[in-house]
Amino acid sequence: MAASSPTEVSTPLLRRLHRILQQQADLQGQARRGPMQLKAVGAAVVAAETEVSQAATALKKARMVSDEKQLQLQTREAHVADLNRKLNEAASNKEFTLLKEQIAADEQANSVQSDEIFEILERIDTLTGLVKEKEGLLAEAQAENEKRVAEIKQRQERVAADLARVEIQLEEAETEIPSVVKADWKRLIEARGEEAFAPIEGESCGGCSQTLTTQVASLLMLSKLTYCPNCNCILYLPEDRSV
């Protein structure tokens, strides 16, 4: 890209352009991270909502099982009462014995059922507490989410304002670029952004570490627009190197 007769461009302008492009790239990165950060903080709320839903579903199922077992117990207790009535009306010892055995079996089943109901009621108490705990955590997550969303949005507004300011600075700095190289300059910057520039480091390109020739160093000392022969970066002298 370098012309046969290199164009003169001041070293301070190149430094300023590179600094502005670096600021622009950093701010653009911050702007892109904003939506990802919002999604991340929202994920905590979604996770908390899922845990509340799971705990509530478990509690609902436990209550349904309890209701079903209590209905079964009531039905069997009514059956035992009916058997006791028949026992008092037994017409023979055989019928009396059979009724007694059936009553004993049903009462044993009722005892087991009562124990199961007691265990389920204890589980319901535990699950009720768990639901309340998860709802509390959800409320905390929602509050934290609101706080973080407000912070991120405020930061994004500042980033947008800073980015607009930097872009104005870039436009102003670009007016100082010689018209003869402005088209090539624009294409390079649009393609590579801040990586279109590189300060020299010692005797090498700060972009690709290619050792520079004496001719390239001489052009830089004369403030000529100079490109790295290896990576094609626009080269410039750093602050600690005088022209």
Side-chain angles (χ1 to χ4, degrees):
M1 185 178 294
S4 57
S5 179
T7 304
E8 184 173 333
V9 181
S10 75
T11 298
L13 173 60
L14 295 177
R15 292 172 184 158
R16 180 152 52 100
L17 281 164
H18 193 197
R19 183 175 63 253
I20 292 171
L21 286 170
Q22 288 173 323
Q23 292 174 345
Q24 182 188 51
D26 178 64
L27 291 167
Q28 287 172 340
Q30 292 183 48
R32 287 192 297 270
R33 287 194 295 273
M36 292 185 289
Q37 291 171 334
L38 288 172
K39 184 177 179 179
V41 298
V45 173
V46 173
E49 288 173 339
T50 299
E51 291 186 0
V52 169
S53 177
Q54 291 173 341
T57 298
L59 176 60
K60 182 179 178 180
K61 288 180 179 179
R63 284 173 172 165
M64 290 175 63
V65 171
S66 175
D67 290 344
E68 181 180 349
K69 286 187 176 293
Q70 290 193 59
L71 179 59
Q72 291 172 353
L73 179 61
Q74 290 170 2
T75 301
R76 194 177 288 112
E77 285 176 340
H79 186 237
V80 169
D82 184 56
L83 290 175
N84 279 314
R85 180 184 59 77
K86 290 180 179 180
L87 182 66
N88 293 328
E89 300 172 355
S92 66
N93 288 335
K94 182 178 181 180
E95 181 182 1
F96 184 87
T97 300
L98 288 173
L99 288 170
K100 287 287 286 185
E101 290 175 352
Q102 190 170 356
I103 289 171
D106 283 353
E107 287 179 339
Q108 176 62 31
N110 285 349
S111 177
V112 172
Q113 189 90 334
S114 295
D115 290 341
E116 291 176 352
I117 290 171
F118 180 75
E119 290 176 0
I120 292 173
L121 291 175
E122 285 188 326
R123 175 165 171 73
I124 287 173
D125 288 342
T126 300
L127 288 171
T128 299
L130 181 62
V131 169
K132 291 180 179 179
E133 177 187 342
K134 296 299 183 183
E135 287 175 341
L137 293 174
L138 173 58
E140 291 176 5
Q142 289 171 331
E144 179 64 18
N145 179 69
E146 290 178 5
K147 176 183 175 182
R148 294 283 292 122
V149 166
E151 291 173 350
I152 292 169
K153 287 184 175 180
Q154 288 177 357
R155 184 164 61 249
Q156 287 298 98
E157 289 173 0
R158 293 195 298 270
V159 167
D162 289 342
L163 187 55
R165 173 180 54 77
V166 166
E167 288 174 346
I168 291 173
Q169 291 176 352
L170 180 59
E171 290 178 2
E172 292 174 347
E174 286 178 336
T175 62
E176 301 178 36
I177 300 171
S179 58
V180 68
V181 296
K182 185 166 288 189
D184 287 342
W185 182 295
K186 275 284 191 181
R187 280 194 294 271
L188 183 60
I189 290 176
E190 287 173 2
R192 301 177 62 179
E194 62 172 326
E195 295 180 356
F197 289 83
I200 64 169
E201 297 177 353
E203 303 302 324
S204 304
C205 169
C208 67
S209 300
Q210 173 74 29
T211 300
L212 303 173
T213 64
T214 302
Q215 181 183 8
V216 170
S218 298
L219 290 172
L220 285 170
M221 296 301 291
L222 293 172
S223 296
K224 299 296 184 180
L225 182 60
T226 308
Y227 299 88
C228 173
N230 183 56
C231 67
N232 206 39
C233 280
I234 298 170
L235 298 171
Y236 65 88
L237 295 172
E239 296 283 352
D240 59 355
R241 295 282 291 271
S242 60
V243 178

